[in-house]
Amino acid sequence: MTTLTSYTSVKTNLFVKLVVTQYRTTSTAAFAVQTLLFTDSDAAVTIGSDTYTPLGEFLNVTPTTSELRPTSDQITLTLSGVPTASIPEVLFSKIKGSKVEIRRQFRDGNNLLGTQGYFFGRVNNFSLQEDYSVEERSATNIILLECANYLSILNDKISGRLTNPNSNKRFFPNDTGMDRVPIIKGTKLDF
């Protein structure tokens, strides 16, 4: 983790990596994996082998709180200034469930102080907003991505199996231990 106590001013930038596993540009195109990389920085930045496209003030991330224990908080990524021609890509792709990684980079002037993880999770939902200006006869589009972290995803996960012959045969085809469950269902047993 980066120690920032000895600096008088520090600038931060956010770097978002969105991996859409079912991405397409038209309704008839085949799905493909697409990695979208963008940042609120004013210039393109390369971290590892990934080059992040600058969106500047067109990218907004809801603030988070730092806590000692993991929590199941959600964040909202706001992408504004989206061209109208790019809206079909959002509608034709399956964005829900896409992997989201957000990293934060610290700088003191032009000196890089460090990069750390900020948020890791999946897109839980998305919405589109359009602001139409009648005087200018133009529209600005906003994409809101509601993202859930991995802790909240694990909290919602349903695990286990049923205690019936069909479920048991799926996991253990040769086991007959649950075959009598339908027969003894509802029977009172005196122990």
Side-chain angles (χ1 to χ4, degrees), residues 2 5 41 53 67 83 96 149 190:
T2 306
T5 56
S41 176
T53 305
E67 298 183 25
K96 284 186 181 180
N149 66 13
D190 296 324

Side-chain angles (χ1 to χ4, degrees), residues 18 22 32 41 45 50 66 77 83 87 120 126 142 149 152 154:
L18 178 65
Q22 294 184 339
S41 176
V45 177
D50 297 329
S66 296
L77 283 171
I87 296 299
F120 299 95
F126 75 96
I142 300 170
N149 66 13
S152 65
L154 288 174

Side-chain angles (χ1 to χ4, degrees), residues 12-45:
T12 65
N13 288 112
L14 295 175
F15 299 89
V16 178
K17 182 177 189 177
L18 178 65
V19 180
V20 183
T21 56
Q22 294 184 339
Y23 184 87
R24 61 182 176 181
T25 54
T26 64
S27 62
T28 57
F31 287 115
V33 177
Q34 179 72 30
T35 302
L36 306 171
L37 304 164
F38 39 89
T39 177
D40 63 352
S41 176
D42 54 356
V45 177

Side-chain angles (χ1 to χ4, degrees), residues 37-78:
L37 304 164
F38 39 89
T39 177
D40 63 352
S41 176
D42 54 356
V45 177
T46 302
I47 299 175
S49 62
D50 297 329
T51 302
Y52 291 82
T53 305
L55 295 181
E57 61 186 37
F58 295 119
L59 172 65
N60 185 18
V61 178
T62 55
T64 61
T65 57
S66 296
E67 298 183 25
L68 293 176
R69 295 183 185 259
T71 60
S72 57
D73 289 340
Q74 294 190 358
I75 64 165
T76 302
L77 283 171
T78 306

Side-chain angles (χ1 to χ4, degrees), residues 164-184:
N164 64 35
N166 293 335
S167 178
N168 193 51
K169 294 289 185 201
R170 211 173 51 170
F171 293 101
F172 308 104
N174 298 326
D175 186 21
T176 60
M178 295 284 179
D179 288 351
R180 290 185 34 87
V181 170
I183 298 167
I184 62 172

Side-chain angles (χ1 to χ4, degrees), residues 2 4 10-16 39-41 43-48 50 52 102-118:
T2 306
L4 303 173
V10 175
K11 179 183 177 186
T12 65
N13 288 112
L14 295 175
F15 299 89
V16 178
T39 177
D40 63 352
S41 176
V45 177
T46 302
I47 299 175
D50 297 329
Y52 291 82
I102 303 175
R103 301 190 185 283
R104 180 169 44 188
Q105 193 174 74
F106 299 96
R107 292 187 172 274
D108 175 27
N110 291 331
N111 301 322
L112 175 63
L113 303 177
T115 304
Q116 71 179 23
Y118 185 73

